[in-house]
Amino acid sequence: DTCALEPPVFTEIKRRVMAWMHENGVSAYNEETKTGLIRHLYIRKAEQTGETMVCLVATSGKFPAASALIETLRNINGVCSILVNVNKKDTNVILGDREFTLWGRDTITDILCGVRVRLSARSFYQVNRRQAERLYTIAADFADLKGEETLLDLYCGAGTIGLSMANRVKDLIGVEIVPEAVEDAKRNAAENGVENARFLCADAAKAAKTLAKEGVRPDVVVLDPPRKGCDESLIQ
């Protein structure tokens, strides 16, 4: 019923969503029979601001008893975004390719290394924000930035690492393959007054080739790749 890793508010959200499902006959997805509506309950909380996003991953965009769900969740302290993500595929990937907003905003905002970070449902963001902040600070110290460098931030997500160093470099280039995350990165740069950054929506290895053809030679490269690591083509 509870998880020691989660903020306490998550337990209350889970309890209310479960009650809503029981009261309104909303079914859970069964992976063996491929039937049912609700696949996952996906919750994000911005630690610094307290803003919380509730996203239900469903097999259909036809969503029953939506008003009842909104009513039960909207008065929980911090909840400012209620979304439905649609995932109809036979897959163990959590999120589908589209979502829509039931109530509130479609993003939440956190602050990391002094940078205001806007997060959508599919933007990557470190779960352990405080430790991420320490790691990013150490990475910046190792980079020993003097203010004249070109910084390349690969697998940049919503741009958090690069933007935290943008005021110490001449140019920042971020690369990310998820379009929504790239849009978040651009908005995050604008909202933080960062004018020396650009973000490319591309596979990291292809972007590296493109930048090489442009004659871009980064002085510092920051890498935060997925679990499988960097592709050999990117290393080359």
Side-chain angles (χ1 to χ4, degrees), residues 6-164:
E6 297 173 350
V9 70
F10 285 19
T11 301
E12 180 62 16
I13 291 169
K14 287 187 292 184
R15 185 188 67 77
R16 294 195 189 191
V17 170
M18 290 288 288
W20 166 79
M21 291 177 68
H22 287 303
E23 290 167 8
N24 293 279
V26 179
S27 57
Y29 181 69
N30 184 316
E31 287 197 354
E32 293 182 358
T33 64
K34 315 300 181 201
T35 59
L37 181 66
I38 304 299
R39 296 179 75 135
H40 303 282
L41 173 60
Y42 166 47
I43 313 171
R44 310 188 86 160
K45 181 178 180 182
E47 190 175 314
Q48 281 292 95
T49 64
E51 295 182 358
T52 301
M53 171 185 290
V54 181
C55 181
L56 279 77
V57 183
T59 54
S60 172
K62 295 180 180 178
F63 206 75
S67 58
L69 178 66
I70 293 167
E71 196 60 36
T72 193
L73 293 177
R74 64 185 294 179
N75 63 353
I76 296 176
N77 188 38
V79 172
C80 59
S81 174
I82 304 174
L83 310 175
V84 175
N85 176 274
V86 181
N87 186 353
K88 300 181 179 182
K89 297 178 181 178
D90 180 12
T91 176
N92 62 359
V93 175
I94 302 296
L95 296 174
D97 294 331
R98 71 179 181 94
E99 57 266 339
F100 57 92
T101 304
L102 281 182
W103 176 84
R105 305 201 308 268
D106 57 0
T107 62
I108 57 174
T109 301
D110 201 10
I111 301 171
L112 182 68
C113 294
V115 175
R116 291 187 66 82
V117 183
R118 188 196 297 238
L119 301 166
S120 58
R122 281 178 282 168
S123 293
F124 175 77
Y125 194 58
Q126 296 289 354
V127 174
N128 189 330
R129 180 202 158 279
R130 276 175 286 182
Q131 193 69 353
E133 196 165 58
R134 294 178 68 183
L135 286 168
Y136 294 176
T137 300
I138 291 168
D141 289 344
F142 278 25
D144 193 26
L145 301 168
K146 306 298 185 187
E148 294 301 316
E149 295 87 355
T150 294
L151 172 65
L152 179 59
D153 183 7
L154 296 174
Y155 309 97
C156 71
T160 48
I161 299 178
L163 290 174
S164 72

